[in-house]
Every structure is written in C-alpha cells, then in structure tokens.
Amino acid sequence: MTEIYLIRHGETEWNAQGRFQGRLDSALTDTGVRQAEAIGRRLAELNLSFDAFVSSPLGRTRQTAAIISGSTNLPAAQYDDRLAEVSLGSWDGLTHIDIDAQWPGLLDGSTPFDWFFRSPDGEGYDAAFQRSECWLREQHGVTVAVSHGLVSRIIRGAYSGLAKTEALSLPVPQDVIWRLSDGRIKPISVR
C-alpha cells in the first residue's frame, strides 16, 4: 500500500509580496512558521507510522520540514530534487509587473496557471510532469513529502490522471495536508 501525505511549504516573505520564487528562496514568515508547526501537530495527531520523510532541497521546504520534524516522530527529511519547485529561469524572483515590463506581451493570452511555462529559459511543463510522475511511481509505504505549490499541483494532477489545465488549477493552500491513497486525494485541514 502506498500512502502519501503531500505538504506545501509555509508562507514565505516572497509569497506575501507576490514575488515568484521558482528555484530561489526567501525565509518563512511568522505565519509560515505557524503553518509548519500546525502541520507537524496535525501529523502527530494522525499517529501514523511513516516509512519515509522527504523534502525538496530548497531552503523554504527544508525550513518547513525541520519544523515539522520537531513536532512529530519523523526523523530529519531526506532531500529529493524531483520535489523542487519548477524553475522559472530568469523569471525566478520577479513579480508579474516585473515580467510584463521586461518581456512585454509574452504573458498575453496566458491563464492564471499556464503563464509559469512561458518563461523563455524556465522548465517546461512536460519536464516537470515527468519528474513528478517518476517520483510518484517510486513511492511505497507511507511517505510524508514537503514540496511547493506548482509541483504539488503537478504531482496531484499526475496521481489523479488530470489534464494539464485541470492539474494547474488545483488549489495550493499552505495549511492543508494532501493525502494521496487508493487513487483518491483527500485534504486534511490543519486549522
């Protein structure tokens, strides 16, 4: 049996500013720290025996994973590059306003979700999907995974067999644990 508890990192300074991080980092805000603490408490309440605890290697997920580990019986997380956020290339660290100013018209006709993949030197959807799907196929037992907003959408979309547009429109709250089991995805609120 495979069961995955998928978590998005807590709110970061750049999340609060509307700045897109991609492969860059900013620290968790006080809210982000509280979100990670609440997720750790909720995981402890579930009283499960976990086989693996993995995280993206990026700083915001490492910080979130360390906070979760301090609230549970989980050991320190192992890092897996396949859980890292989609790279926006030269758009990492920018806002929509910055992107529009430096690449006029490039976002014209994009949706709130597919614009990520319009960066001229960023990671493409197919590559991000392939690494997410590969990670999913390798999971066995009960796994806790700390990742990012866009990658979480792609992982859940791949797990559910959703089309790209459906997957990219999935919600990505920072105070929910997504339980992937038996072909279904169930949100576990930590509020």
Side-chain angles (χ1 to χ4, degrees):
M1 177 186 87
T2 299
E3 196 169 30
I4 299 169
Y5 292 83
L6 184 61
I7 299 158
R8 181 180 178 198
H9 61 79
E11 179 190 71
T12 67
E13 293 169 0
W14 284 5
N15 289 149
Q17 296 169 10
R19 189 169 297 282
F20 306 106
Q21 294 171 115
R23 295 286 174 98
L24 299 180
D25 261 318
S26 65
L28 297 184
T29 62
D30 290 342
T31 297
V33 169
R34 286 192 301 274
Q35 289 166 335
E37 290 169 343
I39 286 171
R41 285 190 302 273
R42 186 68 176 108
L43 283 172
E45 289 169 3
L46 296 175
N47 201 28
L48 297 169
S49 177
F50 298 104
D51 298 304
F53 183 31
V54 294
S55 171
S56 155
L58 299 178
R60 58 197 183 269
T61 48
R62 283 178 181 249
Q63 188 180 1
T64 300
I67 293 167
I68 291 169
S69 179
S71 304
T72 64
N73 62 346
L74 291 167
Q78 299 296 307
Y79 303 113
D80 192 321
D81 289 335
R82 295 172 297 181
L83 294 174
E85 184 60 292
V86 172
S87 172
L88 303 178
S90 52
W91 293 2
D92 284 353
L94 302 181
T95 65
H96 268 287
I97 293 169
D98 298 331
I99 294 167
D100 279 335
Q102 295 179 45
W103 290 271
L106 197 56
L107 296 178
D108 291 353
S110 66
T111 70
F113 307 110
D114 76 351
W115 72 267
F116 298 101
F117 301 103
R118 295 205 176 194
S119 172
D121 57 353
E123 183 177 13
Y125 178 82
D126 291 340
F129 181 88
Q130 184 177 26
R131 69 179 162 94
S132 297
E133 191 175 48
C134 177
W135 179 83
L136 271 172
R137 279 194 312 268
E138 291 180 10
Q139 300 315 298
H140 303 287
V142 181
T143 300
V144 174
V146 182
S147 193
H148 304 269
L150 191 50
V151 169
S152 170
R153 286 176 171 144
I154 295 170
I155 288 171
R156 288 181 287 139
Y159 185 81
S160 299
L162 299 178
K164 175 182 174 181
T165 54
E166 293 172 303
L168 293 178
S169 65
L170 291 170
V172 287
Q174 290 164 308
D175 58 356
V176 168
I177 301 165
W178 299 100
R179 180 178 179 260
L180 288 64
S181 180
D182 297 323
R184 291 178 291 196
I185 300 175
K186 175 187 171 193
I188 302 170
S189 178
V190 298
R191 294 182 194 179

mmCIF file of all heavy atoms in Angstrom, residues 12 19 30 54 69 94 96 98 123 142 160 176:
data_model
loop_
_atom_site.group_PDB
_atom_site.id
_atom_site.type_symbol
_atom_site.label_atom_id
_atom_site.label_comp_id
_atom_site.label_asym_id
_atom_site.label_seq_id
_atom_site.Cartn_x
_atom_site.Cartn_y
_atom_site.Cartn_z
ATOM 1 N N THR A 12 6.132 32.219 2.693
ATOM 2 C CA THR A 12 7.441 32.874 2.716
ATOM 3 C C THR A 12 7.275 34.387 2.548
ATOM 4 O O THR A 12 6.197 34.870 2.200
ATOM 5 C CB THR A 12 8.340 32.367 1.567
ATOM 6 O OG1 THR A 12 7.784 32.797 0.322
ATOM 7 C CG2 THR A 12 8.481 30.849 1.588
ATOM 8 N N ARG A 19 5.863 37.771 -5.056
ATOM 9 C CA ARG A 19 7.065 37.540 -5.859
ATOM 10 C C ARG A 19 7.195 36.037 -6.097
ATOM 11 O O ARG A 19 7.035 35.247 -5.178
ATOM 12 C CB ARG A 19 8.266 38.085 -5.089
ATOM 13 C CG ARG A 19 9.549 38.134 -5.847
ATOM 14 C CD ARG A 19 10.607 38.934 -5.082
ATOM 15 N NE ARG A 19 10.226 40.323 -4.896
ATOM 16 C CZ ARG A 19 10.299 41.266 -5.822
ATOM 17 N NH1 ARG A 19 10.731 40.960 -7.032
ATOM 18 N NH2 ARG A 19 9.940 42.503 -5.563
ATOM 19 N N ASP A 30 6.432 34.671 9.855
ATOM 20 C CA ASP A 30 5.900 34.151 11.123
ATOM 21 C C ASP A 30 4.678 33.277 10.852
ATOM 22 O O ASP A 30 4.495 32.242 11.492
ATOM 23 C CB ASP A 30 5.531 35.302 12.063
ATOM 24 C CG ASP A 30 6.760 36.033 12.596
ATOM 25 O OD1 ASP A 30 7.878 35.468 12.530
ATOM 26 O OD2 ASP A 30 6.606 37.164 13.085
ATOM 27 N N VAL A 54 10.465 12.995 3.075
ATOM 28 C CA VAL A 54 11.281 13.601 2.024
ATOM 29 C C VAL A 54 10.867 15.042 1.806
ATOM 30 O O VAL A 54 9.738 15.439 2.099
ATOM 31 C CB VAL A 54 11.183 12.818 0.691
ATOM 32 C CG1 VAL A 54 11.781 11.442 0.828
ATOM 33 C CG2 VAL A 54 9.756 12.741 0.206
ATOM 34 N N SER A 69 9.439 18.127 11.581
ATOM 35 C CA SER A 69 10.182 17.061 12.247
ATOM 36 C C SER A 69 10.240 17.294 13.760
ATOM 37 O O SER A 69 10.143 16.348 14.537
ATOM 38 C CB SER A 69 11.596 16.991 11.674
ATOM 39 O OG SER A 69 12.344 15.992 12.299
ATOM 40 N N LEU A 94 10.845 37.341 -9.610
ATOM 41 C CA LEU A 94 10.146 38.502 -10.151
ATOM 42 C C LEU A 94 8.654 38.472 -9.813
ATOM 43 O O LEU A 94 8.122 37.467 -9.380
ATOM 44 C CB LEU A 94 10.324 38.553 -11.674
ATOM 45 C CG LEU A 94 11.758 38.614 -12.204
ATOM 46 C CD1 LEU A 94 11.759 38.690 -13.730
ATOM 47 C CD2 LEU A 94 12.517 39.792 -11.605
ATOM 48 N N HIS A 96 4.655 39.646 -11.467
ATOM 49 C CA HIS A 96 4.020 39.779 -12.793
ATOM 50 C C HIS A 96 4.365 41.125 -13.420
ATOM 51 O O HIS A 96 4.600 41.208 -14.639
ATOM 52 C CB HIS A 96 2.491 39.640 -12.679
ATOM 53 C CG HIS A 96 1.988 38.255 -12.874
ATOM 54 N ND1 HIS A 96 1.947 37.649 -14.100
ATOM 55 C CD2 HIS A 96 1.509 37.349 -11.998
ATOM 56 C CE1 HIS A 96 1.466 36.433 -13.979
ATOM 57 N NE2 HIS A 96 1.187 36.223 -12.701
ATOM 58 N N ASP A 98 7.073 42.922 -12.991
ATOM 59 C CA ASP A 98 8.455 42.839 -13.481
ATOM 60 C C ASP A 98 8.522 42.089 -14.811
ATOM 61 O O ASP A 98 9.212 42.514 -15.747
ATOM 62 C CB ASP A 98 9.348 42.088 -12.480
ATOM 63 C CG ASP A 98 9.460 42.761 -11.129
ATOM 64 O OD1 ASP A 98 9.343 43.998 -11.049
ATOM 65 O OD2 ASP A 98 9.667 42.028 -10.134
ATOM 66 N N GLU A 123 11.743 25.904 -16.818
ATOM 67 C CA GLU A 123 11.441 24.486 -17.001
ATOM 68 C C GLU A 123 10.083 24.329 -17.674
ATOM 69 O O GLU A 123 9.129 25.017 -17.326
ATOM 70 C CB GLU A 123 11.419 23.804 -15.628
ATOM 71 C CG GLU A 123 11.180 22.323 -15.676
ATOM 72 C CD GLU A 123 11.235 21.677 -14.293
ATOM 73 O OE1 GLU A 123 11.220 22.407 -13.274
ATOM 74 O OE2 GLU A 123 11.296 20.447 -14.242
ATOM 75 N N VAL A 142 4.212 4.492 3.532
ATOM 76 C CA VAL A 142 3.641 5.771 3.952
ATOM 77 C C VAL A 142 4.738 6.835 3.915
ATOM 78 O O VAL A 142 5.750 6.718 4.622
ATOM 79 C CB VAL A 142 3.033 5.666 5.367
ATOM 80 C CG1 VAL A 142 2.420 6.987 5.785
ATOM 81 C CG2 VAL A 142 1.985 4.553 5.420
ATOM 82 N N SER A 160 -3.950 11.791 -10.143
ATOM 83 C CA SER A 160 -5.375 11.676 -10.495
ATOM 84 C C SER A 160 -5.624 11.512 -11.983
ATOM 85 O O SER A 160 -6.769 11.368 -12.402
ATOM 86 C CB SER A 160 -6.127 12.923 -10.012
ATOM 87 O OG SER A 160 -6.031 13.035 -8.626
ATOM 88 N N VAL A 176 -2.829 22.845 4.510
ATOM 89 C CA VAL A 176 -3.525 21.589 4.211
ATOM 90 C C VAL A 176 -2.487 20.505 3.961
ATOM 91 O O VAL A 176 -1.438 20.757 3.382
ATOM 92 C CB VAL A 176 -4.437 21.742 2.968
ATOM 93 C CG1 VAL A 176 -4.929 20.399 2.460
ATOM 94 C CG2 VAL A 176 -5.601 22.658 3.264
#
